[in-house]
Amino acid sequence: MGFLFLFLGYMGVPVAFALIAAVLVVTAFTPVSLASMMAQLFNGMDTEALLAVPFFLLVGDLMTSSNVTGRMIALSQTMVGHLRGGLAQVVTIFSMFFAGISGSSAADVAVLSRTLAPEMKREGYDLAFTAALIASASTMANLIPPSIMAVVYGATGNVSIGGLFLGGVVPGVLVGIGLMIYSHFFGPVGIMRPRATFGQFTTATKQAAVPLMIPLIIMGGILTGQFTPTEAGIIAVAYIVFVAIPLLNPRHVIHLPRDMAMTGLLYSIPLITIGAASVFGWMLAYLRGPAVVSGWIATAAGGDPFMIMLLLVVLFVIVGDFIDAIPAIIIFMPIITDLTQNADINPVHMGVVIIVTLAFGLITPPYGLALLMASKFVGVRFGRAMFASLPIYVVFFAAIAFCIFLPEIVLWLPRHLLPESVGCFKNPSGAGYLCP
């Protein structure tokens, strides 16, 4: 089944149909009926938590098409535009801001390629460096909340989505700091602008305040228990449609139906892939594939939780080279769940490690979706962009190692802001929470 999927995929068959075809062929050799497999395909998509995905996609699309993002870029320039490699630093800071709005690496790449890449070209930045940096910075959209990858992981693995959101903050910031350090010491010098005055910074902050309220609304509502991640996406869309766009770009109101239709089309791609990956994962479980693989990993690791996570990182670095993150999560979730329970690993901790690893897969060949998009939009060969991104891999390896070996720091925010998400329970004496 795995061979058929990879063979069809490299023959050019879309991922979802390659998954479905592989399952249907193998089903003919089992007692399972085709009708049961089709029902399982739709069951994989019939999850309420996944409704958050189209709304977060719509948030990113509305912010991109309405040109509101220019205000966040201006704020980023007042903060870091005076540093060495000023525009490269702006790319990273803006990605941190935009990651808190869209949750989509594809949206981040599209915005940066459209706005900052032409300016970097005029200042003499190497196109390969520009594509590599944009692709690497866009991965933070999968770490800093709201993250579509975290929504899919939480929905399929029955893990707290709010806990995954909070757990992704530290590695997301670490990746951002690492990219800024790399750009400062190893990137092009660029044009170093005069340091912005406090008045300029204040003005830029005021202008960007309306769009920057979106992550506060999303996380504030989730943390206070006012609404679920799905409802947070709906409220964020309502805020943009009824507040942000009328205040900042009222002419864009007439284009809202087009934006919503485009988001629906865009959502159809991960939705059919989620259904196909679900039926693929179900058949793997029926054939006892996850039990066999998790047994191999547990035996090789000797029951050591850190070694288990390291082996899973190696597995997902390889998997991420060939498969998109969302089907990879769904297909391998039974293995992850089995190892998490047997080794007594905190599910949120494991989820953060897996998500960071799969985010890294967005810039690794041959799949490297973010790097493929960035190189295409910037106008440089994928091979050149890939070689330019190789030194940046150190940043991601450091972030992954940090997440594995320092779980207390990764789980600090979930334990203090959403303690139930990481298994904490109220102290019988009434004083705070007790955490494992």
Side-chain angles (χ1 to χ4, degrees):
M1 190 164 64
F3 169 78
L4 282 174
F5 162 61
L6 293 175
F7 175 76
L8 292 172
Y10 279 96
M11 289 294 289
V13 177
V15 172
F17 298 109
L19 287 168
I20 294 171
V23 171
L24 293 182
V25 170
V26 172
T27 301
F29 298 94
T30 70
V32 182
S33 68
L34 290 177
S36 298
M37 300 312 296
M38 290 299 100
Q40 184 60 40
L41 186 148
F42 285 97
N43 286 338
M45 296 184 282
D46 188 18
T47 304
E48 183 181 351
L50 291 177
L51 280 175
V53 175
F55 291 107
F56 289 142
L57 286 174
L58 182 56
V59 167
D61 193 52
L62 289 174
M63 294 296 289
T64 302
S65 60
S66 60
N67 294 323
V68 176
T69 51
R71 295 170 181 260
M72 293 186 288
I73 292 175
L75 174 60
S76 303
Q77 287 179 326
T78 63
M79 295 173 65
V80 295
H82 61 280
L83 299 177
R84 185 183 188 276
L87 281 182
Q89 307 289 3
V90 169
V91 165
T92 303
I93 292 294
F94 170 78
S95 290
M96 288 186 179
F97 288 148
F98 197 66
I101 294 174
S102 72
S104 167
S105 291
D108 203 344
V109 171
V111 172
L112 289 169
S113 301
R114 183 188 306 174
T115 54
L116 287 174
E119 187 66 25
M120 293 177 76
K121 183 178 180 180
R122 281 192 290 270
E123 291 192 9
Y125 284 82
D126 180 64
L127 292 180
F129 171 83
T130 299
L133 181 65
I134 287 175
S136 301
S138 73
T139 61
M140 288 187 287
N142 295 295
L143 307 177
I144 297 175
S147 160
I148 290 174
M149 205 180 287
V151 171
V152 174
Y153 188 98
T156 56
N158 196 26
V159 181
S160 167
I161 296 175
L164 292 172
F165 279 0
L166 291 172
V169 171
V170 171
V173 172
L174 280 177
V175 170
I177 293 173
L179 291 177
M180 293 181 71
I181 293 172
Y182 171 76
S183 298
H184 182 80
F185 289 104
F186 304 103
V189 176
I191 296 176
M192 299 174 65
R193 294 167 173 75
R195 184 187 295 268
T197 64
F198 181 74
Q200 291 172 326
F201 173 73
T202 304
T203 301
T205 303
K206 290 179 180 178
Q207 292 176 342
V210 173
L212 290 179
M213 282 294 294
I214 295 171
L216 295 179
I217 292 172
I218 292 173
M219 290 310 299
I222 293 174
L223 295 179
T224 57
Q226 297 300 310
F227 38 76
T228 65
T230 300
E231 294 164 347
I234 298 171
I235 291 170
V237 169
Y239 173 81
I240 295 174
V241 171
F242 296 111
V243 178
I245 291 178
L247 282 176
L248 304 179
N249 193 1
R251 293 181 179 179
H252 190 74
V253 172
I254 61 173
H255 299 299
L256 290 178
R258 180 202 65 188
D259 292 338
M260 294 182 181
M262 289 300 295
T263 299
L265 292 173
L266 185 63
Y267 180 49
S268 67
I269 299 172
L271 187 64
I272 183 62
T273 305
I274 287 170
S278 176
V279 73
F280 191 95
W282 188 93
M283 180 55 75
L284 275 180
Y286 175 81
L287 298 173
R288 295 191 53 77
V292 173
V293 175
S294 62
W296 290 345
I297 294 176
T299 302
D304 182 2
F306 295 120
M307 185 58 67
I308 286 174
M309 283 191 281
L310 279 174
L311 291 175
L312 280 175
V313 164
V314 173
L315 172 65
F316 278 99
V317 166
I318 297 171
V319 168
D321 291 341
F322 301 97
I323 307 177
D324 188 29
I326 289 178
I329 288 172
I330 298 171
I331 291 170
F332 290 93
M333 184 55 71
I335 297 174
I336 299 171
T337 302
D338 188 47
L339 290 170
T340 301
Q341 293 173 349
N342 292 339
D344 198 24
I345 301 170
N346 188 288
V348 172
H349 180 208
M350 176 69 89
V352 171
V353 170
I354 299 299
I355 290 170
V356 176
T357 305
L358 288 172
F360 171 55
L362 293 173
I363 62 169
T364 57
Y367 188 74
L369 182 60
L371 194 61
L372 279 169
M373 291 179 61
S375 59
K376 181 180 179 180
F377 291 156
V378 172
V380 65
R381 286 188 298 108
F382 177 74
R384 285 191 59 208
M386 182 193 70
F387 282 112
S389 68
L390 292 178
I392 302 178
Y393 288 4
V394 176
V395 173
F396 287 89
F397 289 141
I400 293 170
F402 183 96
C403 292
I404 292 175
F405 295 107
L406 295 172
E408 294 297 324
I409 299 177
V410 173
L411 297 177
W412 188 84
L413 279 176
R415 280 177 174 165
H416 285 79
L417 299 179
L418 206 63
E420 295 91 347
S421 68
V422 289
C424 300
F425 55 92
K426 288 186 177 180
N427 194 329
S429 66
Y433 285 81
L434 297 175
C435 295

